[in-house]
Amino acid sequence: MPISIFTITHVPFTPPNDPIYIPLQVGHAIHENLGYLTDNTGDNISDKNQCYSELTGLYWIWKNYTDADYLGLCHYRRYFLNSDGKLMTESDYMDILSRYDVIIAKSCSMPYDYRTVYGRSHNIHNLDKTEEIIKRICPDYYETFQQVIADTHCYIGNLFVAPKALFHDYCKWLFAILSSLEAEIDVSGYDDYHKRVFGFLSEQLLMVWIRHNHLTFYESLFGLSQEKAETIWLKQNIREYLLQGDIDHAYQCLCDTLDKRPDLLLELSDFKQELTSMEHILNICRVEEDAGLPTLLCFSRDYDVLIKHFHLLLNILEKIKSGTVSNEEILYLIDCRISYKGIIYIIQNFTQLSSEPLKLLNQLSIIYANAGHYLTALSFLESALSIHETDRLTLSNIVSVLENMGHPEMTCEYKELLHSLPGRRIVLCMGHSIPVLAYIAEQYALALESLGHTVFRFDMRFFERSFESLLIFQSQGLDAAIVFNNACFQMRMQSGESLWDLWKVPCYNIIVDHPMHYFDTLDHAPVHGIVACADRYHLDYIKRFYPAVKRSVFLPTAGTCLKAFEDLKPFRERPIDVLFIGSYKYHYDIIYDEFDKKLEQALLLYPAKTFEENLEDCLRSEDIHLSDAELKIFIQNHRYIDTNTTALFRARILQILADAGITVTVYGNGWDTLDLFRHPNFHYKGLITPEDGVSLMEDSKIVLNHMAWFKAGASERIFEAMLQGAVSLTDDSSFLREVFQDNITIKFYSLENLNALPEIVYNLLSNTLSSEEITRNAYQAASQKHTWSNRIKSLDL
């Protein structure tokens, strides 16, 4: 046979079927026979296997094997691969060796030089002693040795293939060095892992020999057929301990093994890095046990389930921090009943979570409080106080939780501390020409002031005067800026730099419309800019199409709580049956092409999909494929279809109700352009300010809402209606489904089945007791979680 590749092993395994691969058991002199060719016959050093590892096999091949012209060494789980990623065959080897002198394993690039890396894991004295020996017995190799250990490439496993003559030359050189080294170092006090010193050193010495002899070498890909046997055994032992619920022995087994074999944590030993996860899992269990709390083993004792569960928990916490967590994920977190101690452990031990612990702990407190787990919420807040005992958000949340628990008397101390704290200094842009934006801006300003912050109202109508005043305000400190729908988001100076970047303050750009309308601004967002979206799908849109935006957060709209529920008019005494506040905006001046018509029809047929989903479906149906850059421009050019379709739906909704004999009181722009304007059941009242609209909701039984294509968000009218004691009747979204229950706190109708809408309204108007119950439940839910103060607390100001 022209080539023999010896597969070194110390454990039973399944050898490759190819006859060029010859299993060779190493260390047979000190271990039982596995049924393979062994390294303890003829001239051998098999009894030194603990220190020489696979080199006892290399020595045996050198001294005893003569039946091949080319010799190689691989491992029971580590093999050379060809360009197709498959196990190398004889023809693969011979083809490469016809062009190169030696085949070696592909090197690993390291962040530091080899000497530094070796010294971090092993006794550097042994490497230094090797250097001395090389300088003494083969000084012509000394310079190359210094170059190799100063390099940042590492070679592992002693995998190589070479012609027999070169193979023998290397072995003669290597074992002369190692024999001398063995006589000069003492490894008797080393653990089993570090005793393998000669095996570790030889990995880099191979490259010293190759470079010094000016050999050409081919760095081959190599594959791992299985994890290390020791890794497999360790995992199996832990599995058995977990099934018995024996945390202490599982932990001790893990620690004892890793103390001796830290290499088992490497990705080459533990492919999925399960041992690192299991170490965290067992640490969590021990923390929970010490606190007298139920452990993770109450969720499952199955090793694989626990690993999956742990990764899912970590992912959920990351999503909570980023504001992208779904309701299903929150339910999983609550239902799995992981202890607060376990969650805090995860936060503390993962850098992606530990960078902003206060923010995350407060987010968790809100999640658990919303689920009715008030004591757990307080536990998170207690942990937050230990980080910063005068954090305003934490103190505010403690007050809120205690009040929800029915213990307002316990809040006095925290309220006093809150009032004694200096508030944040925040600039908030006002003076919008769009009334609803001006209203929302004022609600946020009032909410900030109610929380003790100092707000500078930047009036854009008087820009120069406001800017001069802002400079004076900023000179005394500025913590954040808040703008709406991109107005003042950029604030470019003459130098071209953003004012917010110049001052290094976060600027929250709260947009209440689809981001496709704001490409001119979002394409050039300031570095310190944060875009807050009222719809979760808008976050996805920004991440996809606006890379200049470094951070985006979900911030739904909210409502104003003006009175206690008991002070509001009862449902049956309200004079307005159905109130609708919203405009009819249809761009009649735009001439539709065939694609516009197709897109509008798709939006009408599939209203549960987002605008961009419907648009991309239409493109695919015409076999049009666009890059993201092209698609972004295409969406922008067709964005008016979104507004037009919203108008068509609103007109259809009101027409159906009016035709069914239901009187609808309507405020807003554009309705006088329709025939519907003359319908006897359509009571059009013209324009109204947002403040007057909120007051009018107190006289309304039902406040009808149709969202402007928000499929994972909400409109402020929904929350305002709830807080004024009306039934909020709206098309749904995934967000609304998460936070409200149909017929309990809200009433949903379907855009896909508008013909059912009149019956829904009749039922609400006729069943006053059940409608009154909906309004009471809705008021309670909205006042606790969906006010402007709630929203501003969620921002990291």
Side-chain angles (χ1 to χ4, degrees):
M1 186 180 296
I3 185 167
S4 294
I5 309 296
F6 287 87
T7 309
I8 305 299
T9 187
H10 64 294
V11 294
F13 77 110
T14 304
N17 290 326
D18 192 328
I20 69 169
Y21 290 95
I22 303 171
L24 176 62
Q25 179 186 348
V26 294
H28 181 239
I30 54 176
H31 297 295
E32 65 181 29
N33 196 304
L34 300 176
Y36 309 124
L37 184 66
T38 61
D39 69 344
N40 65 328
T41 61
D43 187 353
N44 73 88
I45 55 170
S46 179
D47 59 346
K48 297 182 179 182
N49 179 252
Q50 280 189 314
C51 299
Y52 278 78
S53 298
E54 64 269 7
L55 297 186
T56 62
L58 180 65
Y59 185 94
W60 184 90
I61 300 166
W62 170 40
K63 293 294 186 179
N64 298 282
Y65 191 80
T66 59
D67 294 344
D69 298 322
Y70 294 88
L71 298 170
L73 182 149
C74 62
H75 295 179
Y76 71 95
R77 68 186 200 100
R78 189 181 281 130
Y79 300 92
F80 288 116
L81 304 178
N82 61 23
S83 58
D84 294 327
K86 297 179 180 179
L87 183 71
M88 273 204 196
T89 63
E90 179 179 331
S91 61
D92 293 321
Y93 285 116
M94 299 312 296
D95 176 60
I96 295 171
L97 290 169
S98 69
R99 293 176 284 120
Y100 296 89
D101 296 320
V102 181
I103 299 173
I104 61 172
K106 190 170 183 61
S107 63
C108 301
S109 182
M110 304 175 294
Y112 306 101
D113 61 86
Y114 177 79
R115 190 178 194 283
T116 299
V117 173
Y118 184 90
R120 290 183 173 184
S121 300
H122 307 284
N123 187 341
I124 195 65
H125 165 75
N126 297 330
L127 183 62
D128 292 338
K129 184 59 69 174
T130 304
E131 183 174 12
E132 292 175 16
I133 291 170
I134 288 176
K135 189 175 183 180
R136 186 172 71 242
I137 70 173
C138 48
D140 50 334
Y141 282 83
Y142 179 67
E143 184 178 345
T144 308
F145 175 84
Q146 288 184 312
Q147 293 171 355
V148 170
I149 66 170
D151 197 356
T152 57
H153 289 83
C154 177
Y155 301 86
I156 60 173
N158 288 301
L159 276 67
F160 81 107
V161 183
K164 182 166 61 175
L166 286 177
F167 189 94
H168 284 200
D169 285 347
Y170 170 63
C171 290
K172 181 179 179 180
W173 175 82
L174 174 68
F175 286 105
I177 295 171
L178 298 184
S179 177
S180 297
L181 180 63
E182 186 178 2
E184 297 188 28
I185 64 173
D186 180 12
V187 300
S188 60
Y190 290 8
D191 59 33
D192 289 344
Y193 176 70
H194 290 95
K195 277 183 180 177
R196 296 157 54 192
V197 58
F198 305 110
F200 291 132
L201 288 168
S202 62
E203 291 175 324
Q204 210 72 357
L205 290 178
L206 174 60
M207 182 48 61
V208 175
W209 177 76
I210 289 172
R211 284 192 183 178
H212 175 76
N213 290 290
H214 305 293
L215 300 177
T216 58
F217 59 93
Y218 176 81
E219 290 195 30
S220 171
L221 294 173
F222 63 89
L224 295 166
S225 60
Q226 67 175 64
E227 295 178 323
K228 278 191 174 180
E230 293 85 352
T231 303
I232 296 170
W233 293 336
L234 175 56
K235 289 181 180 181
Q236 185 55 39
N237 288 334
I238 293 174
R239 285 177 192 275
E240 293 172 2
Y241 284 125
L242 289 176
L243 288 173
Q244 299 166 24
D246 193 341
I247 296 169
D248 290 339
H249 280 97
Y251 181 75
Q252 196 62 48
C253 174
L254 179 67
C255 292
D256 289 348
T257 305
L258 293 181
D259 281 345
K260 298 174 183 177
R261 295 295 305 275
D263 60 308
L264 299 188
L265 289 176
L266 298 174
E267 190 173 349
L268 292 176
S269 303
D270 181 13
F271 295 168
K272 298 180 181 179
Q273 295 291 274
E274 290 180 356
L275 290 178
T276 300
S277 297
M278 183 50 62
E279 187 173 13
H280 286 302
I281 290 169
L282 293 174
N283 276 327
I284 290 171
C285 289
R286 294 170 71 237
V287 167
E288 291 170 327
E289 268 194 338
D290 289 344
L293 297 169
T295 72
L296 281 178
L297 297 195
C298 293
F299 180 84
S300 175
R301 293 186 178 186
D302 183 278
Y303 177 98
D304 298 308
V305 172
L306 282 171
I307 293 288
K308 182 179 179 181
H309 177 53
F310 175 75
H311 288 180
L312 186 54
L313 289 172
L314 181 58
N315 182 254
I316 290 172
L317 291 174
E318 289 174 358
K319 287 187 175 182
I320 290 173
K321 182 183 175 185
S322 65
T324 58
V325 68
S326 68
N327 189 52
E328 289 78 11
E329 288 166 329
I330 288 175
L331 288 176
Y332 182 91
L333 180 67
I334 300 294
D335 291 345
C336 78
R337 298 195 177 276
I338 179 176
S339 72
Y340 77 93
K341 286 280 191 181
I343 292 176
I344 290 173
Y345 172 92
I346 297 174
I347 294 172
Q348 292 172 336
N349 286 275
F350 287 85
T351 54
Q352 64 267 42
L353 300 175
S354 60
S355 58
E356 296 178 284
L358 274 177
K359 176 184 175 183
L360 183 51
L361 289 168
N362 275 280
Q363 289 172 309
L364 286 163
S365 74
I366 293 170
I367 287 171
Y368 276 83
N370 288 345
H373 296 268
Y374 297 117
L375 292 178
T376 303
L378 286 175
S379 295
F380 287 122
L381 294 171
E382 181 182 4
S383 182
L385 281 183
S386 70
I387 298 171
H388 192 330
E389 61 183 12
T390 57
D391 178 65
R392 179 176 292 278
L393 179 59
T394 303
L395 293 169
S396 178
N397 281 331
I398 290 174
V399 170
S400 177
V401 172
L402 289 173
E403 287 179 343
N404 286 333
M405 291 175 70
H407 298 297
E409 73 283 355
M410 298 175 66
T411 65
C412 298
E413 176 186 349
Y414 300 103
K415 286 183 176 179
E416 289 177 7
L417 186 54
L418 266 172
H419 291 313
S420 69
L421 294 177
R424 298 280 186 167
R425 293 173 60 79
I426 298 167
V427 58
L428 192 145
C429 287
M430 315 286 288
H432 295 273
S433 59
I434 301 174
V436 69
L437 284 181
Y439 171 75
I440 291 174
E442 181 60 25
Q443 299 314 305
Y444 273 118
L446 294 172
L448 285 164
E449 289 171 338
S450 72
L451 294 171
H453 302 298
T454 301
V455 177
F456 175 80
R457 289 168 166 79
F458 185 98
D459 194 332
M460 295 183 295
R461 294 169 299 179
F462 311 101
F463 193 91
E464 289 187 9
R465 188 172 67 196
S466 293
F467 189 76
E468 291 175 0
S469 299
L470 173 61
L471 293 177
I472 297 172
F473 182 83
Q474 185 270 340
S475 67
Q476 301 172 43
L478 181 63
D479 296 299
I482 298 177
V483 304
F484 299 88
N485 275 19
N486 294 282
C488 294
F489 188 43
Q490 291 181 329
M491 288 287 274
R492 299 287 178 188
M493 309 302 289
Q494 286 186 345
S495 64
E497 185 177 13
S498 162
L499 179 66
W500 315 122
D501 290 341
L502 180 66
W503 287 345
K504 292 182 172 57
V505 296
C507 179
Y508 290 87
N509 178 18
I510 299 174
I511 60 174
V512 297
D513 297 312
H514 197 294
M516 65 182 171
H517 297 291
Y518 303 114
F519 50 92
D520 55 338
T521 306
L522 297 182
D523 277 333
H524 305 93
V527 174
H528 287 76
I530 302 163
V531 177
C533 300
D535 187 291
R536 285 198 181 113
Y537 289 132
H538 295 173
L539 296 178
D540 299 332
Y541 191 91
I542 285 175
K543 289 175 183 176
R544 183 178 181 185
F545 295 114
Y546 296 109
V549 176
K550 304 303 179 186
R551 182 182 167 201
S552 56
V553 297
F554 176 51
L555 186 74
T557 52
T560 306
C561 190
L562 298 174
K563 297 179 180 178
F565 185 80
E566 290 70 22
D567 296 332
L568 295 169
K569 289 181 184 178
F571 181 85
R572 61 185 178 278
E573 296 178 12
R574 297 180 173 222
I576 300 174
D577 282 346
V578 179
L579 173 68
F580 181 83
I581 301 175
S583 297
Y584 176 84
K585 298 177 183 177
Y586 193 95
H587 300 276
Y588 291 101
D589 55 330
I590 296 175
I591 300 175
Y592 276 27
D593 59 22
E594 288 304 314
F595 185 85
D596 292 329
K597 296 174 185 177
K598 185 170 187 174
L599 176 57
E600 184 175 87
Q601 188 63 26
L603 289 165
L604 293 171
L605 286 173
Y606 308 109
K609 294 182 178 181
T610 66
F611 175 80
E612 52 269 28
E613 282 179 318
N614 273 306
L615 183 143
E616 289 191 79
D617 286 346
C618 290
L619 288 173
R620 279 191 289 270
S621 70
E622 296 188 6
D623 200 27
I624 298 174
H625 304 283
L626 303 177
S627 67
D628 275 359
E630 294 169 329
L631 179 61
K632 174 188 170 187
I633 295 172
F634 194 89
I635 292 173
Q636 290 166 187
N637 291 339
H638 293 267
R639 65 189 185 279
Y640 53 83
I641 305 294
D642 170 87
T643 305
N644 285 2
T645 311
T646 297
L648 292 176
F649 262 113
R650 288 182 173 180
R652 184 185 296 180
I653 288 166
L654 296 180
Q655 184 77 53
I656 288 172
L657 290 176
D659 288 346
I662 296 170
T663 300
V664 185
T665 302
V666 179
Y667 289 85
N669 267 325
W671 295 105
D672 52 354
T673 64
L674 301 178
D675 291 340
L676 179 62
F677 173 68
R678 289 178 285 276
H679 199 292
N681 294 324
F682 184 85
H683 291 188
Y684 179 50
K685 302 292 186 177
L687 293 176
I688 193 172
T689 66
E691 292 84 357
D692 289 341
V694 171
S695 297
L696 202 60
M697 291 178 185
E698 290 189 43
D699 288 326
S700 305
K701 293 184 176 76
I702 299 170
V703 173
L704 176 64
N705 178 68
H706 171 245
M707 289 181 288
W709 229 261
F710 281 19
K711 303 307 172 186
S715 162
E716 72 279 354
R717 287 185 290 270
I718 295 167
F719 308 111
E720 298 286 17
M722 292 177 170
L723 291 168
Q724 314 323 313
V727 172
S728 183
L729 174 60
T730 182
D731 54 322
D732 69 356
S733 76
S734 58
F735 168 69
L736 290 174
R737 289 281 182 183
E738 289 175 10
V739 296
F740 297 119
Q741 291 179 280
D742 195 18
N743 292 316
I744 304 297
T745 50
I746 199 169
K747 187 60 196 173
F748 291 124
Y749 67 86
S750 171
L751 293 176
E752 295 173 326
N753 185 21
L754 289 178
N755 289 329
L757 185 55
E759 184 179 354
I760 293 173
V761 174
Y762 278 126
N763 285 336
L764 290 171
L765 293 174
S766 58
N767 297 316
T768 57
L769 290 178
S770 61
S771 295
E772 186 83 38
E773 186 64 21
I774 291 174
T775 64
R776 182 180 296 277
N777 294 336
Y779 180 93
Q780 182 179 9
S783 62
Q784 287 182 359
K785 305 172 187 177
H786 303 288
T787 65
W788 299 107
S789 291
N790 292 134
R791 296 294 184 254
I792 208 68
K793 287 179 185 178
S794 69
L795 294 181
D796 187 22
L797 295 172

